[in-house]
Amino acid sequence: MLNRRHIRVKVMQSIYAMHQHHSDNLDKEEKFLLQSIENTQNLYLLLLSALIEIKVKEEEYIDLASKKHLATKEERNPNLKFINNKVLVLLSESEALETALDDHNINNWKLNDDIILGLIDTIKESELYQNYMQKPVGNFEDDKKFIVDLYTEVIAPSDRLYDYLEDNKLTWLDDLPAINTLIVKQIKQLKGEHDALVIPKVYKDEDDKEFVKNLFRKTVLNELELSKEYIDKTPNWDVERIAEIDTIILKMAICELLKFPSIPTKVTINEYLEIAKEYSTPKSSIFINGILDNLVKEFSQNGKLKKSGRGLL
């Protein structure tokens, strides 16, 4: 579920939080870090279950409307195309998803159905929905394209949904883009109405889980040592004025260069430059790139850069 860049971002944020709270309780902070990573699966399940709950609520509305004493012609003979959407039916009938929701106790929408009802209103107001409902019943690919577009254009950008997630768990906001991308990718990969939905694991493998712990601990426990590597490489910068997030990115990158022999040098540099572009100041990536480039040359010359395997330099 999480790639290495997402993991690096999580570690960076945890170290930043430690600094802000002046915390030196490594075990406590590591536990919080690991829990925040585990919570990404809850976010994935919560968002995926929103599609199911939208279907359920619309079915309930159609049923109640049809039973009204003065039901209109449209209410007595409703258009069932949306609730019979083949992708929504697949998700609703997925045993793997149902088991995961039960295991993780994801029942938020039962307790906060106003969010779902608000999403339904927004969906029905959209041109995308109205065009879909006017067309004849299509095949699985037609239904899949509609759900992908619906999720991308209506559900994911919802301010009300965003506010709910922010209030529920603040750490989810940084996870949201990656999880939204994952959900859209998964829906696109569905081949047919009898396809089985696979619930992804939080970590690709045990190596990734160990990478989280090792990167966090090796960076935090060696911060002074790591900072000494770049202090004299910033002659045109006042060290006190370097953004704190930049110093953390530098320490993590240097930590990877020196203490993770299996990670290619280019991968480390590219990953942290992209993180700097997204999470720090506009000039940060240029600043960080300059320092890391000089350090790599220096480490290579003095034998500090020890990478194992071919092509890792």
Side-chain angles (χ1 to χ4, degrees):
M1 181 176 289
L2 298 187
N3 58 35
R4 284 285 177 103
R5 182 176 299 170
H6 201 157
I7 287 173
R8 289 179 174 96
V9 169
K10 284 287 193 182
V11 172
M12 176 194 73
Q13 291 169 334
S14 291
I15 295 174
Y16 181 78
M18 281 189 73
H19 289 185
Q20 293 299 301
H21 300 145
H22 305 290
S23 172
D24 58 0
N25 190 331
L26 193 62
D27 291 336
K28 176 185 174 183
E29 299 300 337
E30 182 184 70
K31 184 178 179 181
F32 180 81
L33 165 62
L34 295 174
Q35 186 60 54
S36 74
I37 291 175
E38 292 289 341
N39 283 337
T40 59
Q41 189 164 59
N42 287 352
L43 175 60
Y44 162 81
L45 293 170
L46 182 64
L47 292 173
L48 207 52
S49 68
L51 288 170
I52 298 174
E53 200 60 28
I54 286 169
K55 177 182 183 300
V56 170
K57 287 297 180 185
E58 183 60 9
E59 285 174 332
E60 291 175 356
Y61 169 78
I62 289 173
D63 182 56
L64 287 173
S66 69
K67 294 175 181 177
K68 287 196 308 186
H69 179 61
L70 297 176
T72 65
K73 181 180 177 181
E74 289 76 16
E75 289 172 333
R76 288 195 301 271
N77 298 283
N79 185 342
L80 303 179
K81 187 180 179 184
F82 179 71
I83 62 173
N84 288 335
N85 177 283
K86 296 174 181 63
V87 173
L88 293 182
V89 172
L90 184 153
L91 294 175
S92 300
E93 295 179 352
S94 170
E95 293 183 6
L97 181 53
E98 182 180 1
T99 299
L101 293 172
D102 287 341
D103 289 346
H104 289 259
N105 197 29
I106 304 295
N107 61 356
N108 302 54
W109 306 130
K110 305 292 184 186
L111 306 174
N112 300 276
D113 64 351
D114 58 309
I115 305 296
I116 297 299
L117 295 174
L119 283 173
I120 291 174
D121 288 341
T122 306
I123 288 169
K124 288 183 174 181
E125 291 168 1
S126 71
E127 185 177 345
L128 178 68
Y129 172 85
Q130 292 166 16
N131 290 340
Y132 174 75
M133 296 300 282
Q134 289 171 6
K135 294 177 182 178
V137 174
N139 57 26
F140 185 82
E141 288 300 315
D142 295 330
D143 280 3
K144 181 170 72 173
K145 184 181 185 305
F146 168 70
I147 294 300
V148 167
D149 291 343
L150 185 72
Y151 190 88
T152 305
E153 298 175 22
V154 180
I155 297 175
S158 167
D159 289 336
R160 193 168 182 185
L161 179 60
Y162 183 92
D163 291 342
Y164 171 77
L165 296 175
E166 182 178 28
D167 291 341
N168 195 277
K169 200 171 294 293
L170 191 59
T171 58
W172 275 347
L173 297 187
D174 284 307
D175 303 326
L176 196 52
I179 298 303
N180 281 335
T181 300
L182 172 61
I183 288 174
V184 169
K185 181 180 178 181
Q186 271 201 300
I187 294 173
K188 285 181 176 180
Q189 288 174 340
L190 294 172
K191 302 298 183 186
E193 53 196 291
H194 301 298
D195 209 354
L197 182 72
V198 178
I199 307 300
K201 297 178 180 178
V202 175
Y203 299 100
K204 183 181 70 175
D205 49 38
E206 279 301 312
D207 286 347
D208 276 4
K209 190 170 185 177
E210 285 304 308
F211 176 66
V212 175
K213 297 176 183 177
N214 288 333
L215 181 60
F216 177 69
R217 283 186 170 266
K218 287 182 179 182
T219 302
V220 172
L221 293 174
N222 296 283
E223 284 203 74
L224 185 59
E225 171 195 332
L226 295 170
S227 64
K228 289 178 180 177
E229 299 288 356
Y230 66 81
I231 290 297
D232 60 352
K233 303 294 186 300
T234 57
N236 298 322
W237 295 74
D238 182 346
V239 175
E240 295 298 322
R241 293 176 61 192
I242 299 175
E244 184 169 8
I245 205 73
D246 289 352
T247 67
I248 294 171
I249 290 172
L250 278 170
K251 289 169 189 174
M252 288 175 64
I254 296 168
C255 182
E256 267 192 40
L257 290 171
L258 298 178
K259 301 179 185 296
F260 290 79
S262 65
I263 300 178
T265 299
K266 288 182 179 178
V267 169
T268 294
I269 293 176
N270 289 339
E271 286 289 278
Y272 286 103
L273 289 183
E274 290 302 316
I275 290 171
K277 288 176 186 177
E278 186 171 354
Y279 288 91
S280 195
T281 63
K283 294 182 180 179
S284 290
S285 62
I286 299 171
F287 164 65
I288 290 171
N289 186 43
I291 292 178
L292 293 180
D293 188 52
N294 287 331
L295 283 174
V296 167
K297 292 175 183 175
E298 181 182 305
F299 293 160
S300 298
Q301 291 170 356
N302 63 22
K304 276 189 173 184
L305 196 63
K306 297 174 182 178
K307 297 292 182 179
S308 58
R310 296 178 60 185
L312 292 182
L313 296 180

